[in-house]
Amino acid sequence: MANIEAIRGQVADDAHNALMAVSTSGDIYTWGASTYLGNGSAVSARTYATAMSLPSGVVGSDVKMIGVNGGNQTTNSTNNTYYILSNQGFLYAMGENNNRQVGDFTTTDRLTWVNVKQNATTNMSGIATFSVQEHDANFSAAVAVTNSGDLYTWGENPRNMIGRPTSNTIYDPGIPSSFNQGTDLAIFAEVGGHTLVYLKQGTTQFFTLVTR
């Protein structure tokens, strides 16, 4: 590989891990024990960096951010999930979906890229940034921030980690309970294995939805 701009990855254990890289021209690659290519092929171990397919209608110059999600605390056979944010503000995902981490309002594993959805029928749009749980081996979770300052979370919610009402429940994308939509204007968010924090417009302090 050459001219690599970013690398993301998540490791749950020896059998469930994946890394993803994007080049300056928007080519994407993956390697690891539980990888997907986004072209309809099944999960597989790949020792070397292997070219991935882009979402339909997305070209290399459209790729703004990448991410890899995972976590084996609840189910010890969870493979990885991949994400691409386009410069047009659409968020795409594919891979394991047992904890609703793809964000398409199903629990169907996706072998090709699909849009993350705002609700069951509407694709999420106007996304400025996103974060997925890449920091420990435990839980699959994701957060997205829109250009208008809304905050959406989805996936696993251990001890209300993503700010949704019921602990230890899996969630489709939605607004966290303690986030005041229209008043709290988020500009950045980060979800880890224990905490989700976000930055509000007009302040330099991070706010925590909940700490696990």
Side-chain angles (χ1 to χ4, degrees):
M1 294 191 299
N3 301 315
I4 297 302
E5 186 170 53
I7 298 176
R8 309 299 297 182
Q10 195 278 336
V11 177
D13 56 39
D14 289 346
H16 304 91
N17 57 78
L19 285 91
M20 181 185 190
V22 60
S23 72
T24 53
S25 59
D27 297 319
I28 54 174
Y29 303 88
T30 188
W31 63 100
S34 54
T35 66
Y36 297 86
L37 297 180
N39 61 1
S41 59
V43 62
S44 179
R46 294 178 170 88
T47 305
Y48 300 101
T50 304
M52 302 173 68
S53 295
L54 288 168
S56 177
V58 174
V59 298
S61 59
D62 293 331
V63 178
K64 179 179 179 180
M65 294 176 65
I66 60 172
V68 182
N69 201 351
N72 262 352
Q73 181 69 32
T74 304
T75 305
N76 62 10
S77 59
T78 300
N79 296 312
N80 292 93
T81 310
Y82 297 77
Y83 303 80
I84 288 177
L85 176 61
S86 74
N87 285 314
Q88 290 74 31
F90 294 104
L91 184 59
Y92 303 89
M94 64 95 181
E96 182 75 61
N97 198 22
N98 61 339
N99 294 312
R100 300 188 180 275
Q101 60 267 51
V102 166
D104 65 345
F105 284 75
T106 77
T107 55
T108 302
D109 292 349
R110 298 299 183 180
L111 302 183
T112 57
W113 295 97
V114 297
N115 282 87
V116 174
K117 294 184 176 295
Q118 180 178 329
N119 55 52
T121 59
T122 306
N123 293 335
M124 202 176 285
S125 62
I127 303 300
T129 188
F130 78 98
S131 170
V132 295
Q133 197 293 105
E134 302 170 326
H135 308 290
D136 73 14
N138 292 325
F139 300 106
S140 302
V143 58
V145 177
T146 70
N147 290 322
S148 59
D150 288 333
L151 189 72
Y152 289 89
T153 63
W154 63 98
E156 294 188 84
N157 191 41
R159 302 185 188 178
N160 304 94
M161 185 181 82
I162 59 173
R164 307 298 288 277
T166 304
S167 179
N168 301 315
T169 298
I170 60 174
Y171 279 94
D172 295 310
I175 304 293
S177 303
S178 59
F179 184 81
N180 299 309
Q181 189 176 18
T183 302
D184 295 334
L185 301 179
I187 58 175
F188 177 80
E190 181 80 10
V191 61
H194 302 273
T195 307
L196 189 153
V197 296
Y198 72 97
L199 183 64
K200 283 184 186 180
Q201 183 176 318
T203 179
T204 58
Q205 295 181 328
F206 281 94
F207 291 81
T208 304
L209 289 176
V210 70
T211 302
R212 183 167 65 79

